[in-house]
Amino acid sequence: MFVFNNVKFTASDMSGRDGYRSMWESMYGQCDAIVFVVDSTDQMRFAVVKDELDMMLRHPDVADRPDLPILFVANKTAAPDACGASALAGALKLHEHMEQDRPWRLASTDAVAVSGQPADDGLNDAMEWLAELVKFTRQR
Ligand SMILES: Nc1nc2c(ncn2[C@@H]2O[C@H](COP(=O)(O)OP(=O)(O)OP(=O)(O)O)[C@@H](O)[C@H]2O)c(=O)[nH]1
């Protein structure tokens, strides 16, 4: 649990490992938002990521909730072999495949602090965006 901009989040870290992904759908119906984290150094698996994303978007608990926001996070972006956020957006075909009416956003970050400094990246802005949307959804 954490609080961001006065919004209380209860986060469930769903493993991306093969064999655990089938558990994701148990959360779709009960969450206020999805944060979809992608390892931006693992370009070999972007096709698998895209298949999983397509399956997620087709699931009735997601497809029937077009207002459920999705925050895509490209992680490990400080690694030398990381691809840029726009390459990731292209590989997942985010601009083509995300529904027009669904709120979504792509942020890039690196979870590991470099030289003890927290990453200066787009995650804070993206979390502000997500917190506003979640607050709005809960007020309805
Ligand atoms: N350099 C770098 N390493 C990272 C970053 N995020 C995770 N790692 C490393 O990647 C490895 C896997 O991290 P996890 O957090 O276990 O990855 P995960 O995707 O949550 O794993 P599952 O829950 O099993 O899907 C660990 O050694 C982390 O330290 C990052 O942003 N930058």
Side-chain angles (χ1 to χ4, degrees):
M1 199 279 288
F2 63 94
V3 177
F4 187 93
N5 280 7
N6 296 320
V7 178
K8 189 168 146 188
F9 287 86
T10 303
S12 298
D13 179 8
M14 307 302 287
S15 175
R17 285 179 202 204
D18 196 11
Y20 290 91
R21 290 181 213 140
S22 59
M23 295 168 74
W24 296 357
E25 63 182 39
S26 64
M27 300 301 294
Y28 296 157
Q30 47 181 308
C31 64
D32 294 326
I34 294 173
V35 179
F36 195 95
V37 183
V38 182
D39 181 340
S40 63
T41 66
D42 199 357
Q43 298 177 44
M44 294 283 284
R45 291 207 301 166
F46 282 179
V48 177
V49 174
K50 187 178 175 307
D51 285 348
E52 292 293 341
L53 173 62
D54 289 346
M55 253 189 291
M56 186 179 89
L57 294 172
R58 281 199 307 267
H59 191 284
D61 287 346
V62 177
D64 296 345
R65 296 174 66 197
D67 56 344
L68 181 68
I70 304 180
L71 169 58
F72 295 93
V73 178
N75 195 27
K76 302 193 189 180
T77 50
D81 51 345
C83 75
S86 55
L88 178 65
L92 301 188
K93 297 203 182 334
L94 293 183
H95 294 282
E96 294 94 316
H97 286 319
M98 289 303 293
E99 307 96 314
Q100 293 262 304
D101 46 354
R102 184 181 303 284
W104 69 274
R105 186 162 166 156
L106 171 62
S108 50
T109 192
D110 196 297
V112 178
V114 180
S115 312
Q117 297 297 313
D120 180 18
D121 54 33
L123 193 56
N124 200 66
D125 283 353
M127 280 305 298
E128 283 179 6
W129 169 83
L130 194 61
E132 279 308 304
L133 283 171
V134 167
K135 207 188 304 181
F136 178 72
T137 308
R138 289 179 185 166
Q139 277 165 358
R140 281 190 305 171

